[in-house]
Amino acid sequence: DSGVTQTPKHLITATGQRVTLRCSPRSGDLSVYWYQQSLDQGLQFLIQYYNGEERAKGNILERFSAQQFPDLHSELNLSSLELGDSALYFCASSVDGQTNYGYTFGSGTRLTVV
Amino acid sequence: DAKTTQPPSMDCAEGRAANLPCNHSTISGNEYVYWYRQIHSQGPQYIIHGLKNNETNEMASLIITEDRKSSTLILPHATLRDTAVYYCIATSGAGSYQLTFGKGTKLSVIP
């Protein structure tokens, strides 16, 4: 157990639907990062939050959004889902926005869009 | 982040040292070298990082050349559980500190 909790572990939904992925960072970590991993794209950085505020954006589609709440958990919202959104979604956390100890990743949410 | 180049795959016999190379010839002075690994669709796992000195922890050793243009991750006694994709990343860690993962090296530890 890495200390980063992601729920649900698996999600199957239909095209056009909306889903929410949840991440609880490791205790004491202020920063949360979201990554998408599909078979053909590898690990792609989506977005980072630090202590409730958006810090950096990567290759995140406009149909996707995220937020970090006061208790530091984060949610990634995916809407108007397409088949190509099927992927593993990982959340990671770190103590702050820059650290000497690297990220700690969760075990991921496997999203299947049918 | 500086571009890194790794071999796509490597084999290593169980119990032997696994030496995974990484080229980062355009690395800048303030960029660290980080190593992560991902075991079969699990979340990536931090292994080790360094700036210019060699580093060792309970998992591995990191050897960085004096000119910092390349590095080697060493798993001293590889086990079957070390079979994974290993990612080498060069980043300054400043500001937003997002990690950019390449394709990595698929290490297969063979019995």
Side-chain angles (χ1 to χ4, degrees):
Chain A
D1 180 9
S2 68
V4 177
T5 303
Q6 289 189 249
T7 56
K9 291 193 184 308
H10 302 276
L11 198 49
I12 301 175
T13 189
T15 54
Q17 295 298 304
R18 172 189 170 95
V19 297
T20 297
L21 312 184
R22 182 187 169 102
C23 170
S24 294
R26 200 178 53 165
S27 177
D29 286 358
L30 298 177
S31 209
V32 168
Y33 311 77
W34 286 97
Y35 280 79
Q36 178 192 55
Q37 186 173 35
S38 54
L39 278 175
D40 56 345
Q41 292 291 326
L43 275 157
Q44 299 286 315
F45 169 72
L46 295 178
I47 197 164
Q48 178 200 1
Y49 279 83
Y50 174 72
N51 203 20
E53 295 192 2
E54 183 183 303
R55 174 74 66 93
K57 255 184 179 178
N59 301 318
I60 187 166
L61 300 172
E62 285 192 10
R63 301 183 285 108
F64 296 1
S65 65
Q67 55 183 322
Q68 186 179 28
F69 294 87
D71 66 352
L72 300 177
H73 90 271
S74 177
E75 293 181 356
L76 179 67
N77 300 296
L78 316 176
S79 61
S80 303
L81 285 167
E82 303 174 358
L83 296 178
D85 298 327
S86 295
L88 273 167
Y89 291 84
F90 289 106
C91 166
S93 71
S94 66
V95 171
D96 54 23
Q98 49 194 63
T99 174
N100 285 330
Y101 297 100
Y103 290 4
T104 302
F105 280 83
S107 57
T109 293
R110 182 176 294 278
L111 173 66
T112 303
V113 182
V114 297
Chain B
D1 295 352
K3 179 177 166 57
T4 60
T5 303
Q6 299 177 252
S9 64
M10 292 182 64
D11 292 339
C12 177
E14 188 178 18
R16 304 297 293 267
N19 296 280
L20 292 92
C22 179
N23 182 285
H24 32 78
S25 58
T26 62
I27 195 169
S28 58
N30 65 343
E31 287 185 312
Y32 288 78
V33 178
Y34 282 82
W35 283 84
Y36 283 76
R37 72 180 182 183
Q38 186 175 25
I39 299 171
H40 186 57
S41 297
Q42 296 179 20
Q45 177 189 25
Y46 165 81
I47 301 174
I48 199 167
H49 75 282
L51 184 61
K52 49 184 175 182
N53 297 323
N54 298 337
E55 302 287 345
T56 295
N57 63 21
E58 65 278 4
M59 288 183 67
S61 295
L62 173 60
I63 307 298
I64 302 174
T65 58
E66 194 169 338
D67 63 7
R68 302 208 328 120
K69 292 185 177 183
S70 66
S71 61
T72 300
L73 178 75
I74 301 172
L75 307 178
H77 306 286
T79 71
L80 298 179
R81 289 187 296 180
D82 292 321
T83 292
V85 178
Y86 287 77
Y87 299 98
C88 168
I89 301 165
T91 181
S92 65
S96 61
Y97 191 52
Q98 65 223 47
L99 294 176
T100 303
F101 289 82
K103 295 189 184 299
T105 296
K106 167 68 173 170
L107 174 69
S108 298
V109 180
I110 301 167

